[in-house]
Amino acid sequence: MKTLVFIGTAVLLALVFMLLPQPDATYQLKPAATAASDVSSNSFVLGPVKLFDGQQWREERYVEVRAGRVSQLHLDKPDSELPLIDGNNQWLMPGLIDGHVHAWGDALQQALDFGVTTVLDMFGDHQFLLAQKAARAGTERTKQADIYGAGTLVTAPKGHGTQYGMAIPVIENPVQASKFVSDRLAEGSDFIKIVYTSAKALRRFSPSIDLATLQAVIAAAKEQGVLAVVHIADLPSAEEAIAAGADGLVHSFFSEPVSAELLQLMADEQRFIIPTMTVMEGMIVNQINDELLLQAPPAQLTAAAISSLQQRFGNFQIPQERYQVLATNTAKMAGAGILLLAGSDAPNPNTAHGVSLLVEMVLLQRAGVSGLQVLQSATSAPAKAFGLTDVGYLRPGYKADMLLLSQDPMTELTSLLTPAAIWKNGWLHQPELPAKSTAVTAGLVADFNTGLTARSGGFAASSDSMVQGKSSAEISVQQGVLKVTGTTRPGFAYPWAGVAWQTAASIDTGSDFSEITRIKFNIRGTPGQYRLDAFTVGSWMPSSQPFTVTEDWQAVTLPLAGFRALDMSAVNVLSWIGPAGSFEFEIAIIELE
């Protein structure tokens, strides 16, 4: 199995367009009999409820919250000056913790809109992590989940994590381990994540650190007082990582059945695993999102999230029975007493922030994990594994991050998709509906007789130079022709150069192309294979169609149906991309039909 493709093209295009959706419509989500004052205070009494505290179901029926933290749990309604919120005998549990994400942009907002109040980031921009860390300590009102993270991962030169055009430090030998770890902690990392593939693995998709370096990094992390978790994709790598002292594995594997030796060692040493079944289900089976989400998408899902849920890894041909190997391995680990953490690996293909953690919990349950373990996997288990001291439980002193459910999650886990209420830091959270795109009608987009003016949006040169690549592009307009001159050069994981059309005034809303069936344009230029890339609001993974260009003018018509898994209701960018090497091309007219 290829090591999981963290963020990939998504990071690339996130850096290009810097899409940070900020929906402005409000979705009113309130528990039954909530007083107006409840929204303006994070001190109250909630009850009666059926209370799951993150570890177990309790006899207490009332939760007293003061200044955003649980103050006391009561069997009976307390005599208190605080406002009383009627829990209507519904089910209350801690806010969810996603044990495996890659967060940037509006990821933390998306997470909270689905009741995920804390996330564990397994590789991302350390500056983003550092900027968010201060908010974790307080109980101020916020629209974001808390984040704990690894920052920059530990990987070999040209290893997994280096292929996305972001310059990151790499490690070459055990001698560098102590300084490498201390540098990560100085950047703000909360724990250390290591990418490792054993020399015994059947398949190696990218260079890996060797076993001695793995052992040295884990030892350095322990010496400096932080956890070390290891990204693996096969049984030999898992066995060697745990034997080396890793605190946990941040993926599971379907290459072969789990060994009795690994089960015993992980159980004896109290090591944990984050199976990330959702992203693997997308690689192998690709059915769960259609079943749970896409037939009737939850109101909070953005167009970008829907597009991401429809995407899948295109370079895998894995027999479907391999997914059952993963499920069986997961059930065996749970049965052996190994701590399981729910993690979505969002926003990889087939996932989206927030909602995919709920899918992960369903997959754990279907694999044979008990209902109690599933609830623990997204609450107390990640808190215990990562030493989080004020989230993951509903107990005195912990943050009042809470979900109120209208159905028993032990018997109806999908009730998590439609919570009666969400509280973050004791504040009632009201998820926001995504902003609506403006409908587009057929007709002329641009004829370039008035410069770069388009019916909506505008045109700009686009190349991977925006993300430290070596390609380049320039555009100009003369006598009704848009001229693009560029060079597509190696040096970036996904080199490109060309021209982009932003389809609406706001890249955050895009345009609704639902009534459009084709795009037509006149083009000539350097002969070769070109492509048209289409993007959905907030999604940085394009859908593409190739076409051939010659030296003579020709009309190219592409059906929008040819853009695989593109959400037509929120298209925000179309990009004409030139061939490899140096090129020139001209576009005279662009029309929608």
Side-chain angles (χ1 to χ4, degrees):
M1 182 188 112
K2 183 176 180 180
T3 51
L4 294 181
V5 184
F6 143 66
I7 57 187
T9 308
V11 159
L12 155 68
L13 293 165
L15 293 171
V16 175
F17 296 113
M18 298 303 289
L19 303 179
L20 304 179
Q22 297 178 351
D24 54 15
T26 300
Y27 176 46
Q28 298 294 330
L29 185 66
K30 297 181 180 180
T34 299
S37 60
D38 301 332
V39 179
S40 59
S41 173
N42 66 345
S43 296
F44 53 88
V45 173
L46 171 65
V49 294
K50 301 176 183 71
L51 177 61
F52 174 68
D53 74 353
Q55 183 66 31
Q56 61 187 356
W57 292 93
R58 301 182 66 115
E59 295 181 355
E60 290 90 343
R61 290 292 177 262
Y62 289 83
V63 180
E64 182 179 337
V65 175
R66 292 185 181 271
R69 292 184 180 272
V70 176
S71 174
Q72 293 184 66
L73 303 177
H74 302 274
L75 285 169
D76 301 304
K77 183 172 68 174
D79 183 12
S80 174
E81 81 285 0
L82 296 175
L84 175 65
I85 300 177
D86 185 358
N88 202 28
N89 282 304
Q90 297 182 95
W91 289 261
L92 188 72
M93 65 180 293
L96 303 177
I97 302 174
D98 192 330
H100 192 135
V101 305
H102 304 285
W104 72 89
D106 68 342
L108 302 181
Q109 294 97 305
Q110 289 183 48
L112 185 56
D113 281 351
F114 282 95
V116 177
T117 53
T118 302
V119 302
L120 304 178
D121 190 289
M122 290 294 162
F123 171 27
D125 183 354
H126 64 88
Q127 295 178 335
F128 179 87
L129 173 64
L130 195 61
Q132 306 297 327
K133 289 182 73 169
R136 300 186 322 213
T139 57
E140 289 79 12
R141 192 164 201 163
T142 179
K143 293 185 178 181
Q144 299 188 156
D146 291 335
I147 181 173
Y148 296 78
T152 302
L153 49 62
V154 180
T155 193
K158 298 184 179 180
H160 180 57
T162 65
Q163 69 266 50
Y164 306 120
M166 301 180 298
I168 64 170
V170 295
I171 187 168
E172 299 184 53
N173 57 62
V175 175
Q176 298 171 321
S178 181
K179 184 177 187 304
F180 200 95
V181 169
S182 63
D183 286 347
R184 303 291 74 74
L185 299 184
E187 288 176 346
S189 296
D190 295 300
F191 52 89
I192 300 300
K193 179 189 174 181
I194 308 161
V195 177
Y196 178 68
T197 303
S198 168
K200 300 176 184 177
L202 293 177
R203 303 183 71 179
R204 295 169 64 90
F205 291 91
S206 58
S208 171
I209 61 174
D210 60 21
L211 179 57
T213 304
L214 171 70
Q215 294 166 333
V217 174
I218 292 174
K222 293 184 181 297
E223 289 169 1
Q224 297 181 47
V226 293
L227 297 183
V229 300
V230 182
H231 168 121
I232 56 88
D234 56 80
L235 177 60
S237 301
E239 290 177 329
E240 291 178 1
I242 292 298
D247 294 287
L249 304 176
V250 294
H251 290 296
S252 188
F253 50 89
F254 51 75
S255 55
E256 56 191 297
V258 63
S259 65
E261 292 78 12
L262 180 61
L263 290 174
Q264 188 68 49
L265 184 58
M266 292 187 72
D268 290 348
E269 298 294 327
Q270 297 185 325
R271 311 297 171 78
F272 61 84
I273 187 166
I274 310 174
T276 61
M277 296 182 70
T278 300
V279 72
M280 297 186 191
E281 192 275 346
M283 288 181 181
I284 305 171
V285 182
N286 197 228
Q287 293 177 353
I288 191 67
N289 288 338
D290 284 336
E291 177 188 343
L292 295 183
L293 303 176
L294 296 176
Q295 298 301 316
Q300 305 97 304
L301 273 183
T302 64
I306 292 172
S307 177
S308 184
L309 290 167
Q310 292 171 332
Q311 295 283 346
R312 68 176 303 175
F313 291 94
N315 55 340
F316 290 96
Q317 296 295 327
I318 303 171
Q320 288 205 4
E321 57 265 26
R322 288 292 181 179
Y323 181 77
Q324 187 56 48
V325 176
L326 172 68
T328 300
N329 286 345
T330 302
K332 286 183 177 180
M333 291 179 181
I338 295 167
L339 196 64
L340 295 184
L341 280 59
S344 66
D345 204 9
N348 266 288
N350 195 61
T351 69
H353 287 288
V355 71
S356 287
L357 180 65
L358 313 183
V359 174
E360 179 76 9
M361 295 170 73
V362 170
L363 291 175
L364 289 173
Q365 184 183 57
R366 292 184 180 182
V369 180
S370 72
L372 184 62
Q373 284 179 292
V374 170
L375 295 184
Q376 293 169 344
S377 75
T379 53
S380 62
K384 178 180 179 181
F386 283 85
L388 310 182
T389 58
D390 61 356
V391 296
Y393 294 87
L394 289 183
R395 295 177 179 174
Y398 282 79
K399 283 189 174 186
D401 292 353
M402 307 185 295
L403 298 182
L404 188 66
L405 306 173
S406 59
Q407 294 177 280
D408 184 352
M410 293 284 287
T411 58
E412 191 53 64
L413 196 56
T414 55
S415 64
L416 288 165
L417 290 168
T418 54
I422 300 167
W423 286 271
K424 177 73 185 100
N425 297 340
W427 299 98
L428 183 65
H429 176 68
Q430 298 177 333
E432 296 179 330
L433 283 176
K436 298 295 183 181
S437 300
T438 302
V440 169
T441 56
L444 181 69
V445 171
D447 59 12
F448 305 108
N449 286 315
T450 54
L452 292 174
T453 302
R455 180 174 58 176
S456 59
F459 292 86
S462 177
S463 75
D464 59 45
S465 63
M466 304 172 184
V467 284
Q468 302 179 350
K470 298 179 180 179
S471 303
S472 60
E474 295 181 354
I475 64 174
S476 60
V477 175
Q478 293 180 350
Q479 298 179 337
V481 172
L482 170 64
K483 183 176 182 180
V484 183
T485 304
T487 304
T488 305
R489 300 183 178 92
F492 184 71
Y494 309 96
W496 87 92
V499 61
W501 170 40
Q502 180 178 310
T503 68
S506 171
I507 204 166
D508 294 339
T509 58
S511 299
D512 186 348
F513 275 57
S514 299
E515 300 301 317
I516 304 301
T517 59
R518 293 180 296 274
I519 182 168
K520 181 178 178 180
F521 48 91
N522 293 346
I523 190 169
R524 71 177 179 183
T526 303
Q529 189 82 347
Y530 290 59
R531 72 176 192 267
L532 184 63
D533 287 351
F535 299 85
T536 294
V537 170
S539 176
W540 307 290
M541 184 171 292
S543 181
S544 301
Q545 289 196 60
F547 59 93
T548 300
V549 170
T550 68
E551 293 179 347
D552 298 322
W553 283 108
Q554 60 180 321
V556 175
T557 301
L558 298 177
L560 295 192
F563 289 110
R564 177 176 167 270
L566 181 70
D567 182 358
M568 295 300 173
S569 68
V571 177
N572 63 355
V573 174
L574 293 173
S575 295
W576 287 258
I577 305 301
S582 296
F583 61 81
E584 290 185 355
F585 66 89
E586 296 175 318
I587 300 177
I589 296 175
I590 301 173
E591 296 176 291
L592 300 176
E593 299 179 339

